[in-house]
Amino acid sequence: MRRNLMTAFAQAQPNIALVKYWGKRDTTLNLPAAGSLSITLDALWTRTRITFDASLENDSLELNGRQDTRTLPKVSACLDILRQLAGVTCKAQVQTRNNFPTAAGLASSASGFAALVMAASTALNISPDRRFLSTVARQGSGSAARSLYGGFVLMHTGMQDDGSDAFAEPLLEANQWPLEVVVAITTHEQKSVGSGAGMERSRQTSPFHSSWISSVDADLAEATQAINMRDFEALADISEHSCLKMHADMLASRPPLMYWTAATVACIALIRDLRERDGLGVFFTVDAGPQVKAVCLPQDAAQIAAALATVPGVIDVVRSGLGEGASILAPEKAQ
Ligand code: 2P0
């Protein structure tokens, strides 16, 4: 008897938030308490192969060659939504790999769930719009909704209880303002407190959390205006402010969430010097990990990468342009 296999390959790139997401209004549907704004990268990627197979008894997930049972329930939950839409019940084998360190503040869950929903919807031969796919990816990881799109992306808070309006949308294509990002990698270790648990800790214990959440809309408006005007200095100012404000909320949590290391602080100080003393077009942002991302004008990227590589504790420097949203790959690429 012929086995009924449905397979597809997809790729997605991580994104880096300039106006940060830190807090949920609902943990079941993974609804953000506030919006966020990000840029999608091109040099880092997740590639995912999925095969739905009627002979499988369970879903399985292999990440970088190893079974990952910890992430599997969220993967299955996303697949269930798409299976229901397609009217199929068969289980899936998911094989995924990243060309960058997993779970160390480089948003591997963002590219991972974006690639997953892209591959799965193609394998299932359904074609929901990208906006809907972003709501499915969001249920795996809030930041993943943004990686469905390239360039500059806005994530909406949404008002509905079912999360149908908590989706991402593109603001500007990558080539409409081709900034670059230099990532200073300071560890390949996984972070001790994951983002989801960290956000809940901040919501429950940080005295700053509600002010942080209520300040995000104004930051989004300011950042959107800066992007529309291609005003790098204004974007630098609001992005660094959003980053530091989020880390203030993290630090004010109990027990505190301290994601920075000495190398993180040294990179931040250097980036401020490069901008204020040397006049380079660069600003920093830092997520729930110790890596520092320097967002910069393309003509300054080489000098910034060379400078960051000299900081004690920086073990690698990765350069990236801005990239496209999640896409389907030719099968041979995902081997
Ligand atoms: C961001 N982060 O906006 C912020 C900044 C981390 C710090 O989005 O719980 O891994 O899966 O929705 O997507 C990380 O959040 O969290 C994140 P969940 P996710 O990029």
Side-chain angles (χ1 to χ4, degrees):
M1 195 180 82
R2 195 173 154 268
R3 282 166 74 197
N4 182 16
L5 299 182
M6 296 178 285
T7 190
F9 308 87
Q11 170 170 322
Q13 289 69 240
N15 66 76
I16 290 174
L18 304 184
V19 176
K20 301 297 190 186
Y21 151 53
W22 194 254
K24 301 177 198 275
R25 66 184 162 94
D26 179 279
T27 50
T28 311
L29 288 171
N30 210 23
L31 300 175
S36 54
L37 192 156
S38 61
I39 46 177
T40 303
L41 303 183
D42 68 353
L44 314 179
W45 47 251
T46 298
R47 289 180 180 167
T48 298
R49 169 195 175 130
I50 190 164
T51 303
F52 290 90
D53 179 347
S55 73
L56 293 172
E57 289 188 358
N58 297 106
D59 292 330
S60 66
L61 171 66
E62 186 188 292
L63 172 60
N64 294 333
R66 289 185 170 184
Q67 290 300 313
D68 180 348
T69 49
R70 216 174 49 147
T71 315
L72 183 60
K74 281 188 175 172
V75 166
S76 291
C78 290
L79 296 181
D80 284 345
I81 299 167
L82 297 172
R83 276 188 281 241
Q84 194 179 14
L85 204 63
V88 305
T89 53
C90 59
K91 302 296 183 188
Q93 182 187 40
V94 180
Q95 291 169 298
T96 186
R97 63 194 171 94
N98 299 327
N99 71 342
F100 61 98
T102 295
L106 282 172
S108 56
S109 64
S111 48
F113 281 99
L116 177 79
V117 300
M118 192 51 127
S121 59
T122 302
L124 291 167
N125 202 20
I126 49 176
S127 32
D129 60 23
R130 228 165 242 260
R131 181 177 282 197
F132 175 78
L133 280 183
S134 81
T135 68
V136 182
R138 185 205 73 231
Q139 297 186 50
S141 180
S143 54
R146 305 185 307 234
S147 275
L148 264 301
Y149 295 101
F152 294 76
V153 182
L154 177 67
M155 177 71 198
H156 292 276
T157 323
M159 309 270 288
Q160 303 293 334
D161 289 341
D162 67 0
S164 55
D165 56 352
F167 55 77
E169 78 173 321
L171 287 178
L172 212 60
E173 299 293 325
N175 61 11
Q176 291 181 288
W177 198 14
L179 300 180
E180 286 205 24
V181 178
V182 181
V183 184
I185 296 180
T186 60
T187 178
H188 287 160
E189 308 259 305
Q190 300 220 354
K191 59 195 162 199
S192 53
V193 182
S195 296
M199 289 181 203
E200 276 307 283
R201 187 186 295 179
S202 295
R203 185 180 67 78
Q204 286 166 5
T205 65
S206 164
F208 304 155
H209 192 68
S210 58
S211 332
W212 149 250
I213 293 295
S214 60
S215 74
V216 175
D217 273 350
D219 294 351
L220 286 171
E222 205 174 316
T224 304
Q225 161 89 349
I227 289 163
N228 287 337
M229 305 292 288
R230 314 293 197 272
D231 184 339
F232 188 84
E233 280 177 24
L235 188 62
D237 186 61
I238 189 61
S239 300
E240 290 189 350
H241 176 62
S242 174
C243 168
L244 293 173
K245 201 163 40 172
M246 175 186 74
H247 282 277
D249 187 38
M250 292 165 163
L251 287 166
S253 306
R254 293 180 86 174
L257 295 160
M258 302 182 72
Y259 289 112
W260 296 5
T261 63
T264 312
V265 178
C267 289
I268 290 174
L270 173 67
I271 289 166
R272 288 170 64 91
D273 274 354
L274 291 174
R275 183 171 75 243
E276 287 163 16
R277 182 193 62 201
D278 302 340
L280 300 188
V282 61
F283 63 86
F284 66 82
T285 191
V286 184
D287 294 299
Q291 331 290 15
V292 177
K293 291 97 178 188
V295 182
C296 58
L297 297 173
Q299 63 268 28
D300 295 336
Q303 199 178 336
I304 291 156
L308 284 169
T310 68
V311 173
V314 171
I315 54 182
D316 203 2
V317 168
V318 176
R319 283 178 61 178
S320 177
L322 303 193
E324 304 300 317
S327 61
I328 291 301
L329 281 182
E332 61 277 9
K333 267 200 148 176
Q335 298 307 309

